[in-house]
Amino acid sequence: MSTISRRQFIGSAAAASAIPLFGSSAQAQTDWPTKPIKIIAGYPAGGQTDLFARTYGEYIRATTGQNVVVENKAGASGSVAAVEAKRAAPDGYTLMFTISTTMIMNRVLIKDIAYDADKDFTLVSIMPAGSLPFVAGEKTGAKTLAEFVAYAKKAEKINIGTYGAGSYAHMAVAEMNKQYGLKMEAVHYRGEAPMWTDLAGGFIDGAHGSYSAALSVLQSGRGRAVAVSRKRMSTLPDVPSFAEQGTTSPIFKLTGFQSCAVPTGTPPEIVQKLSKLLVEGGKTEKVLQLMKSFGVDDTAMTFEETQKLYKEEAPIWLEAVTSLGLAPS
């Protein structure tokens, strides 16, 4: 898939949101869960997706009395997990925790993708992943987005680190170039750790990524957050958002997310029960502390809120990643 219209996307997403009832008795739906639940986590142990899966899974276990097992199936931007999860019975006993890339952008970035996010899954709950800070390197002297743009216009060459081609950070660089007439070059890293190391060392001029990974650079003074995506963060309250500082692209208002999904066909009663559990779990002290460590302020969304956000924002994500002109790998 290289292009998709907003109308086409909303139509397919609406069809995917309908949850047909088959293969499960009304009594089984009412009693769910009556046996252990498996969570397939699409990314490696120790990362945000894994920790969200385990922490929410622990709440489900404590609340329902059923054992919850988390299996990490990392690879291909969550595709390995998605392929396994789509093959599971749609009975509420196999859940997938993954991110917006798996559910949206992979259809543009991966050639011959082996799953269809809209047809194969029902999104139960979106857990917003938090705003991402844009950090200017110490050598720029920038304290605001305007000051960084002024620096970029004067410099002969500007390199901005991203955590991967086709990532939100990559899109943000492209949109800043468009709006401000810049020629910043996106330097793609395989993950955030080497990116922040290079920013601290002065090898790149700026970087865009997660709060938790950027924290050491921010605390050392080798980099300064000059803007954040979407909205202000409780962990960086004095740093205004891109939109507050005059950016016009809708990209800067999008919600990157963690999410829980189940195979299409899972009975609606089970989806609603699971959604309620996740919303409740998101308000517990353990989950709130985990969120704080990642700079996340918004808790798990209800099924209805999830469907609304997905239908509104996914077409914008797709248009933005398609406009980067990347060849599917």
Side-chain angles (χ1 to χ4, degrees), residues 36-275:
I37 295 170
K38 180 169 73 174
I39 297 178
I40 299 174
Y43 289 82
Q48 187 173 349
T49 302
D50 171 69
L51 292 174
F52 268 55
R54 294 180 187 278
T55 308
Y56 276 98
E58 173 58 26
Y59 178 78
I60 294 172
R61 184 206 62 76
T63 303
T64 66
Q66 294 296 333
N67 193 30
V68 177
V69 178
V70 177
E71 294 184 1
N72 297 91
K73 298 291 183 179
S77 299
S79 295
V80 172
V83 171
E84 178 166 335
K86 81 168 188 176
R87 295 170 178 163
D91 55 9
Y93 292 98
T94 301
L95 321 178
M96 177 175 68
F97 269 62
T98 193
I99 66 173
S100 43
T101 299
T102 308
M103 299 304 296
I104 303 173
M105 282 83 86
N106 276 358
R107 68 192 78 188
V108 176
L109 299 174
I110 297 179
K111 185 178 181 181
D112 300 324
I113 190 168
Y115 67 95
D116 185 315
D118 294 335
K119 292 180 180 179
D120 294 332
F121 299 103
T122 294
L123 269 176
V124 178
S125 178
I126 279 175
M127 301 96 167
S131 295
L132 302 181
F134 177 66
V135 182
E138 185 179 22
K139 64 182 179 181
T140 70
K143 298 179 180 179
T144 66
L145 180 61
E147 290 178 0
F148 185 83
V149 169
Y151 173 87
K153 287 183 176 179
K154 294 178 181 178
E156 291 184 7
K157 186 176 182 180
I158 292 288
N159 293 320
I160 305 297
T162 86
Y163 47 89
S167 65
Y168 171 81
H170 187 186
M171 298 177 204
V173 172
E175 294 301 326
M176 290 173 66
N177 282 341
K178 289 179 187 177
Q179 179 165 344
Y180 299 111
L182 304 176
K183 295 182 179 180
M184 299 188 297
E185 182 176 346
V187 180
H188 306 304
Y189 290 81
R190 295 179 65 86
E192 291 194 59
M195 176 180 78
W196 295 115
T197 297
D198 276 4
L199 180 66
F203 298 107
I204 54 178
D205 301 282
H208 205 164
S210 67
Y211 166 79
S212 58
L215 190 56
S216 62
V217 173
L218 296 174
Q219 291 176 335
S220 71
R222 303 305 300 272
R224 185 185 185 106
V226 298
V228 297
S229 64
R230 194 173 168 233
K231 66 177 186 178
R232 291 201 188 208
M233 307 169 64
S234 61
T235 49
L236 295 171
D238 297 325
V239 181
S241 68
F242 277 98
E244 286 181 272
Q245 298 182 76
T247 58
T248 56
S249 171
I251 286 296
F252 295 108
K253 297 180 180 180
L254 291 177
T255 307
F257 58 79
Q258 301 290 332
S259 63
C260 174
V262 293
T264 295
T266 302
E269 293 86 353
I270 293 177
V271 170
Q272 287 293 349
K273 280 189 175 184
L274 181 55
S275 171

